[in-house]
Amino acid sequence: MNNLELSEQEIIRRKSLEELRKLGIDPYPAEEYKTTHHSTDIKEQFNEEENNLQDVVIAGRIMSRRIMGKASFAEIQDSEGRIQIYLNRDELCPGEDKTLYNTVFKKLLDIGDFIGIKGSVFKTQMGEITVEAKELTVLSKSLRPLPIVKEKDGKVYDAFSDPEMRYRQRYVDLVVNPEVRETFKKRTLLIQTIRNFFNSFGYLEVETPVLQPIPGGAAASPFVTHHNALNIPLYLRIANELYLKRLIVGGYEGVYEFSRNFRNEGMDRTHNPEFTALEIYVAYKDYNWMMDFTAKMVEEVAMALHGKTEVQVGDRIIDFKTPYPKVTMTDAIKEHTGFDISGMNEDQLREVCDKLDIEYDDSMGKGKLIDAIFGEKCEHHYIQPTFITDYPVEMSPLCKKHRENPELTERFELFVNGHELANAYSELNDPIDQRERFEEQVKLLEKGDDEAMYIDYDFLRALEYGMPPTSGMGIGIDRLTMLMTNSPSIQDVLFFPQMKPEKKPEKDGKEKFIELGIPEAWIPVIQKAGFLTVKALKEANPNKLHQDICGLNKKFKMGLKNPSKEDVAGWIA
């Protein structure tokens, strides 16, 4: 890489890298570095009276340094936290050769480098538990400087807080913002808690295909790919529902999966095209049983992460203590709009939308019209956990009709903080009814609804072999994590959220600069000075440009013969 493409700090660090190698120190050693403790272990286990930790080995990234004369302090960060280290020149280098302290630590190491420390633990006069270094090992040299986040009197300065930078460079975000690491630890604990809860019932965790011949199980736009060997189109999974139900047909009583799903749709603070969903299906159960089961599961997650059922979400306290209230969808719409949609046809629903100023289009059938009314006028009212139940049949093509009203289905959604969190059914197991529902979806496809479901003939065949009464539930793991960690955006709970391509500055090729009579060797210098295009160069002050490029020539030891002021003025003219 040309030095002109690097910052001053990056150049200095590369020089330090070479100096380490000249001293016979491998800046990227291959052998295992065996540690005995993490930073938190030392702080928890150290007993000053017993002086019990005299032989510890830790490793981590240098996060701060206070270099003095013969003694210095530094702070290193491992996976658990930070701890102070103390380096005394004569303790670290007991012989005549003081290179490790005087040169390596003081001059060639930087904030961001990984080191290993062997030593003993003591408490400073300021009361800080500290490791005194007896040995120091260079484990990895950092070539880019970290953002330096400073804290004084409880105030944070120069925080690495720009959302786009944080999401795009999550590796830096995790280093300098410890609360981000805690969020993802809680995400893992959340998944483990759900898994343990399901396993305690004897339910089986399974895996189903990500590449599917038919994008089934949900109303969503799929990503399309192509299988070369089979010469067929395939779809990235939008849901795993139909495969899990096949396993219930096969004889399992309860199956679940944490699945990566992909939907080729919009992105906002609650949607990412790639996301994690949990789905569970249990034979011989109905949606009433599943409501209680879901509430207990969510309550258990809150207890595992917070030790209580009350969770701070924005400026609200959400209480996940069971039981949760239940409201039918028609009652919810009637309460918040004044309209009773029971028995309404498509035209009547469009009239309701007109009166409520709700946008719709010709492709939307009864299900989507009702969904639009509820979404616009109702769902934001449900802050505390609430089950919305008994959805119209047109909204739920995979759901069993209500046992008391055939115009409705046995379906519920759990709403929290104004958003849907979980979706569940008494599953449709009548293969004839299911075929008719699929055929209604085809009519919607023909009307232009690109989210309507395809007919999955193999799934219909599976149902014809017989599926026992079953209840299923799906929950968005990302949204649940947002709630449980008080994260305002889905990007905050995904390590690597989908991003627009990184914008790169417009830059002309060297040919355009050569046309102006500029020698090729000087083009990188001119671009380093900030003139990436010929257009920008034309607007430069010739005297200042001459001064800048001659200065860069000297600073970076380019060895080029400086042009005259007249030459530079000629390039611009």
Side-chain angles (χ1 to χ4, degrees):
M1 182 179 285
N2 191 315
N3 274 359
L4 288 172
E5 299 177 26
L6 302 173
S7 69
E8 188 171 352
Q9 267 290 317
E10 289 172 320
I11 292 169
I12 291 170
R13 287 174 180 242
R14 278 167 168 75
K15 288 179 179 177
S16 298
L17 180 75
E18 293 308 313
E19 290 301 316
L20 286 170
R21 287 187 166 128
K22 288 177 183 177
L23 291 171
I25 297 172
D26 183 354
Y28 306 106
E31 62 268 24
E32 176 188 8
Y33 190 82
K34 293 184 178 180
T35 60
T36 60
H37 294 77
H38 287 106
S39 56
T40 48
D41 300 331
I42 292 172
K43 292 176 180 179
E44 290 169 2
Q45 296 172 16
F46 178 64
N47 184 305
E48 188 175 13
E49 292 181 1
E50 297 177 5
N51 202 21
N52 60 324
L53 296 178
Q54 291 301 300
D55 189 16
V56 301
V57 184
I58 60 173
R61 188 190 290 270
I62 299 173
M63 297 303 293
S64 67
R65 299 195 301 167
R66 299 194 305 280
I67 296 177
M68 295 170 271
K70 296 180 181 180
S72 298
F73 286 94
E75 192 176 37
I76 65 171
Q77 177 172 286
D78 61 16
S79 62
E80 299 297 320
R82 295 188 182 191
I83 193 165
Q84 181 171 268
I85 61 171
Y86 169 72
L87 301 100
N88 180 290
R89 185 189 67 183
D90 296 326
E91 288 290 328
L92 188 63
C93 309
E96 293 294 321
D97 186 359
K98 309 296 184 184
T99 303
L100 184 61
Y101 180 81
N102 288 341
T103 303
V104 175
F105 177 74
K106 291 178 70 174
K107 297 178 181 179
L108 301 181
L109 292 183
D110 296 285
I111 291 175
D113 293 347
F114 282 89
I115 59 172
I117 295 292
K118 295 183 181 180
S120 57
V121 182
F122 72 103
K123 185 177 285 188
T124 66
Q125 291 181 348
M126 300 297 290
E128 185 163 358
I129 294 173
T130 303
V131 180
E132 181 176 4
K134 302 294 195 299
E135 295 181 27
L136 182 153
T137 303
V138 179
L139 298 177
S140 182
K141 180 69 185 166
S142 169
L143 298 184
R144 285 181 183 263
L146 288 169
I148 303 300
V149 181
K150 307 180 190 78
E151 186 173 345
K152 185 177 181 181
D153 300 329
K155 290 186 177 181
V156 176
Y157 300 89
D158 300 324
F160 186 68
S161 57
D162 177 72
E164 182 166 347
M165 291 289 289
R166 288 182 51 235
Y167 304 150
R168 203 177 289 283
Q169 298 183 35
R170 181 67 84 187
Y171 36 87
V172 177
D173 190 30
L174 292 166
V175 172
V176 301
N177 292 322
E179 69 278 6
V180 175
R181 292 200 304 278
E182 286 305 309
T183 292
F184 286 98
K185 284 183 180 179
K186 286 181 178 177
R187 180 186 173 110
T188 295
L189 177 59
L190 180 152
I191 292 171
Q192 289 173 343
T193 301
I194 294 174
R195 180 177 279 120
N196 292 339
F197 181 73
F198 289 172
N199 291 346
S200 70
F201 287 85
Y203 303 144
L204 183 70
E205 184 172 7
V206 298
E207 294 177 304
T208 62
V210 173
L211 291 173
Q212 301 181 351
I214 293 173
S221 298
F223 286 93
V224 185
T225 186
H226 185 83
H227 192 291
N228 290 337
L230 295 176
N231 192 28
I232 58 171
L234 289 174
Y235 302 88
L236 294 185
R237 172 171 60 196
I238 59 172
N240 54 354
E241 175 171 345
L242 302 186
Y243 284 91
L244 292 176
K245 288 190 202 175
R246 286 170 167 92
L247 299 180
I248 297 295
V249 170
Y252 292 107
E253 186 162 322
V255 292
Y256 70 93
E257 180 179 18
F258 294 94
S259 68
R260 297 296 286 177
N261 293 347
F262 306 85
R263 296 184 182 178
N264 198 356
E265 300 171 343
M267 296 168 57
D268 57 36
R269 70 179 193 86
T270 61
H271 293 86
N272 193 68
E274 178 182 2
F275 62 97
T276 301
L278 161 73
E279 294 201 28
I280 181 169
Y281 293 83
V282 185
Y284 313 114
K285 309 297 184 186
D286 67 2
Y287 80 139
N288 292 311
W289 177 90
M290 187 61 79
M291 269 187 262
D292 295 336
F293 182 79
T294 300
K296 289 174 186 174
M297 180 197 76
V298 175
E299 181 184 45
E300 190 150 323
V301 167
M303 290 296 297
L305 268 63
H306 301 283
K308 57 184 180 180
T309 60
E310 294 178 333
V311 177
Q312 183 82 38
V313 181
D315 58 358
R316 297 173 172 138
I317 298 293
I318 306 294
D319 191 352
F320 290 97
K321 178 70 176 174
T322 59
Y324 304 155
K326 303 171 186 178
V327 182
T328 68
M329 173 163 276
T330 51
D331 284 348
I333 291 174
K334 187 174 182 179
E335 178 184 354
H336 296 293
T337 71
F339 290 96
D340 185 351
I341 64 165
S342 303
M344 282 191 179
N345 60 31
E346 204 170 293
D347 291 335
Q348 291 170 319
L349 289 169
R350 292 180 194 278
E351 289 178 13
V352 171
C353 288
D354 289 333
K355 291 175 182 177
L356 295 173
D357 292 325
I358 295 173
E359 293 185 6
Y360 59 88
D361 59 56
D362 293 340
S363 72
M364 295 169 68
K366 281 184 65 175
K368 284 211 166 184
L369 291 168
I370 295 169
D371 193 33
I373 295 169
F374 180 79
E376 286 276 337
K377 300 298 180 181
C378 304
E379 65 180 45
H380 61 276
H381 292 288
Y382 298 102
I383 304 304
Q384 297 301 323
T386 305
F387 289 117
I388 303 297
T389 69
D390 301 348
Y391 284 47
V393 69
E394 293 82 5
M395 294 182 68
S396 311
L398 298 170
C399 185
K400 185 172 285 188
K401 287 180 180 177
H402 199 282
R403 64 196 76 177
E404 296 173 1
N405 184 346
E407 292 187 356
L408 303 177
T409 57
E410 296 200 349
R411 174 185 177 184
F412 73 79
E413 287 184 310
L414 174 59
F415 278 82
V416 183
N417 201 35
H419 295 282
E420 174 221 331
L421 182 64
N423 185 23
Y425 310 153
S426 292
E427 299 296 335
L428 180 57
N429 61 342
D430 179 342
I432 295 173
D433 188 0
Q434 181 65 84
R435 184 180 293 271
E436 291 171 355
R437 305 269 198 100
F438 275 148
E439 288 169 352
E440 287 298 317
Q441 290 289 300
V442 170
K443 292 176 183 177
L444 291 175
L445 275 171
E446 292 169 350
K447 287 176 66 176
D449 185 348
D450 60 359
E451 292 185 349
M453 293 187 190
Y454 294 65
I455 297 180
D456 187 334
Y457 290 103
D458 180 69
F459 175 66
L460 290 173
R461 179 169 56 192
L463 285 187
E464 288 170 357
Y465 281 100
M467 185 175 85
T470 298
S471 184
M473 184 269 292
I475 190 166
I477 293 298
D478 309 313
R479 287 191 185 177
L480 182 58
T481 305
M482 287 171 63
L483 278 172
M484 292 295 176
T485 61
N486 195 16
S487 299
S489 171
I490 194 171
Q491 284 85 359
D492 292 321
V493 299
L494 300 173
F495 272 129
F496 304 106
Q498 195 62 242
M499 304 283 290
K500 291 180 180 178
E502 194 168 357
K503 287 184 178 179
K504 294 189 177 180
E506 183 183 353
K507 188 176 181 180
D508 284 342
K510 62 183 180 180
E511 297 79 10
K512 289 192 175 183
F513 289 92
I514 291 173
E515 288 175 5
L516 302 180
I518 300 173
E520 185 173 342
W522 278 99
I523 296 172
V525 186
I526 290 170
Q527 292 183 328
K528 179 69 173 180
F531 301 97
L532 301 181
T533 65
V534 167
K535 181 180 177 182
L537 184 64
K538 290 288 188 182
E539 298 171 359
N541 179 299
N543 290 332
K544 186 176 186 308
L545 177 60
H546 179 266
Q547 183 180 353
D548 288 347
I549 64 174
C550 291
L552 289 169
N553 184 31
K554 181 180 180 180
K555 179 180 179 179
F556 288 96
K557 300 178 181 178
M558 301 292 292
L560 301 174
K561 182 182 177 181
N562 285 336
S564 66
K565 290 183 179 179
E566 291 75 19
D567 290 335
V568 174
W571 298 344
I572 293 174

